[in-house]
Amino acid sequence: MLASAIVLVTAVATAAVLAFTPRIRSSRAWRATVTPLSSIMGSGFLVCAPLLAGEAGLFAPVAMAVLLLVAFAVGSMIRFNIRYAEPELEDDDEPGEHRLHRGHRQCSRSHWSRLEQRVAAPVERASHVVLAGAYAVSVTYYLQLLAAFVLDRLGVHDLVASRVLTTVVLAGIATVGARWGLRALERVETYAVSLNLGTIAALLVGLAIHDLGLATDGRLALPRLPFDDDLSHATRVVMGLLIVVQGFETSRFLGSDHPSEERVSTMRSAQLVASAIYLAFLVLMLPLFDGRALDADVTAIIGLVAPVAVVLPTLIVVAAVGSQFSAAVADDAGCAGLTRTMLAGRLSARWGYVIIGVATIGLTWLTDVLSIISLASRAFALFYALQCAVAVITARAHPDAPHRLRTTVLGSGLAVLTLLIAGLGIPAE
């Protein structure tokens, strides 16, 4: 009971401070940080432990560290693009309502040769097309995950029921978006993010107390956790989990509200904080695995944390519903905005939401939650590959940019790696 009380107080106190403290809510830096941070933490925090442990066993923290390292390296390429590519690739003549992002100009177009402009601009536009598709896939992923957690708590384990619930929510979002726009639904995002971060803080505190209690009693031990002895297969599955650390790229598209240097610094901070949380979570979770082969069940976290505190399973389900719904709404709006930008406003917002709704409902009935995780990872990996290509082109075009050689070499390597992830990543079984 004491552990449950501590966990509950931690969750409520953290969520209340983040949601209602005026200084935090009014902070520009916090708003610029919380967008990528909440996206990273909401993408796969609740599913990463059982899925990675099922493939990598006791090396799950190592596998997570590799994913985080790749994500941080890709983030450095996107931060480079915010500083140097974004000012060059913006279209000053684009109507204001179709501007996806706006940064402060820091360099002149004279840096770019005509060939570099002709190559970089199409690659940047192609990355936006890919990102729009990735957003559509991720909306499906978020809501399939939401349905899985809700139905698991109700004791329902049926694929058709999951698809029906996901379809109902998708149809509702599409209807609201087409009829009134998603602004009304987006108002819940601040509170959902605060609740999600509060639950994560409570989970980490609860796990630390649980592990400390085991150590005090002399019962702390790592289980014999089996892992996939097919290294090639395990590697491809881990590749397919890139989406669990995805979300940092949202800083790329906050230029209308935040200057470039603020987005660069807050994206880096968000990735570092998220990395520390993910690694601490994986390490603290290890003693809870009982040594049996783990099924690839995205809701396994609920049963795993039940011994820590009786309130944790309910808190996790509530946080999962809030975070996945708000993330789905945000990505639906992002997809609609990207689509309208690419079509230069020829598609009305109403029809944009309808088309996205039809596409995501189709994906729901053609996939399950594990395959959609892999598909979303592939889509984002392709977007990252294109962004790395833009960084390489930009580095070559800017003789005064710092770390040009490192950016060129690292960006080229990451472009190849993310293309491999896009092509070879597979779902867990």
Side-chain angles (χ1 to χ4, degrees):
M1 291 299 293
L2 179 60
S4 292
I6 294 174
V7 165
L8 192 58
V9 168
T10 300
V12 173
T14 304
V17 168
L18 295 179
F20 301 113
T21 301
R23 185 172 181 178
I24 293 177
R25 293 187 63 182
S26 62
S27 170
R28 286 175 51 89
W30 170 246
R31 290 198 302 271
T33 303
V34 77
T35 297
L37 178 61
S38 61
S39 187
I40 298 169
M41 300 308 302
S43 296
F45 182 76
L46 296 176
V47 305
C48 67
L51 293 183
L52 281 174
E55 292 299 325
L58 293 177
F59 294 100
V62 177
M64 174 55 71
V66 171
L67 283 174
L68 291 167
L69 185 62
V70 171
F72 193 81
V74 173
S76 71
M77 297 297 102
I78 295 181
R79 289 190 286 274
F80 186 87
N81 287 341
I82 290 174
R83 280 195 175 109
Y84 299 103
E86 185 177 281
E88 301 284 0
L89 296 171
E90 287 173 352
D91 184 0
D92 288 325
D93 298 326
E94 187 180 9
E97 64 176 311
H98 303 310
R99 290 176 186 172
L100 181 62
H101 58 272
R102 285 293 175 264
H104 294 288
R105 296 189 175 278
Q106 298 172 319
C107 47
S108 68
R109 294 182 185 273
S110 61
H111 282 301
W112 290 58
S113 70
R114 182 172 299 180
L115 176 61
E116 286 161 340
Q117 288 180 2
R118 288 179 177 177
V119 173
V123 172
E124 173 75 1
R125 286 194 294 269
S127 75
H128 290 176
V129 174
V130 172
L131 184 59
Y135 276 154
V137 176
S138 66
V139 169
T140 310
Y141 156 61
Y142 289 135
L143 294 182
Q144 284 194 20
L145 199 58
L146 181 154
F149 274 95
V150 171
L151 294 177
D152 180 85
R153 199 59 180 159
L154 296 175
V156 178
H157 301 89
D158 181 74
L159 181 59
V160 174
S162 178
R163 286 172 171 170
V164 169
L165 179 56
T166 304
T167 300
V168 170
V169 179
L170 285 169
I173 292 175
T175 300
V176 172
R179 181 65 180 86
W180 299 286
L182 293 181
R183 190 171 298 276
L185 292 178
E186 288 173 337
R187 291 173 185 168
V188 306
E189 186 174 4
T190 299
Y191 302 103
V193 167
S194 300
L195 178 61
N196 187 37
L197 295 177
T199 302
I200 289 171
L203 177 57
L204 293 178
V205 169
L207 289 172
I209 293 173
H210 179 266
D211 291 353
L212 182 61
L214 292 178
T216 303
D217 296 339
R219 295 184 293 116
L220 182 63
L222 295 177
R224 290 185 177 181
L225 193 60
F227 60 91
D228 190 344
D229 55 4
D230 184 345
L231 183 58
S232 174
H233 178 269
T235 301
R236 294 182 66 188
V237 171
V238 173
M239 284 181 173
L241 292 175
L242 180 65
I243 194 174
V244 303
V245 292
Q246 166 271 330
F248 53 89
E249 75 286 337
T250 53
S251 295
R252 177 78 167 81
F253 307 108
L254 298 177
S256 58
D257 299 313
H258 303 278
S260 59
E261 285 305 315
E262 185 175 67
R263 285 181 287 145
V264 166
S265 62
T266 53
M267 187 213 287
R268 184 187 297 109
S269 298
Q271 285 197 280
L272 291 173
V273 170
S275 297
I277 292 174
Y278 268 113
L279 290 176
F281 175 58
L282 263 294
V283 171
L284 291 172
M285 280 292 299
L286 286 179
L288 292 177
F289 296 124
D290 57 13
R292 294 177 300 170
L294 292 171
D295 294 328
D297 182 2
V298 295
T299 62
I301 186 67
I302 297 175
L304 288 170
V305 301
V308 175
V310 294
V311 299
L312 263 181
T314 301
L315 277 177
I316 284 177
V317 172
V318 171
V321 171
S323 63
Q324 303 310 314
F325 182 78
S326 64
V329 169
D331 279 9
D332 199 291
C335 185
L338 275 166
T339 303
R340 292 191 68 204
T341 298
M342 291 182 296
L343 295 177
R346 290 190 292 271
L347 180 70
S348 69
R350 173 177 297 183
W351 283 107
Y353 289 120
V354 170
I355 292 171
I356 295 166
V358 170
T360 51
I361 289 172
L363 283 170
T364 297
W365 287 90
L366 292 173
T367 62
D368 56 45
V369 68
L370 291 175
S371 60
I372 201 68
I373 288 174
S374 178
L375 181 59
S377 291
R378 291 181 178 212
F380 279 104
L382 183 54
F383 168 73
Y384 294 149
L386 293 171
Q387 283 293 302
C388 288
V390 171
V392 171
I393 297 169
T394 303
R396 292 176 58 85
H398 285 266
D400 57 344
H403 311 300
R404 288 181 67 231
L405 179 60
R406 186 187 70 181
T407 300
T408 301
V409 174
L410 181 60
S412 299
L414 287 171
V416 173
L417 177 60
T418 48
L419 283 175
L420 287 174
I421 293 174
L424 299 177
I426 59 175
E429 297 177 355

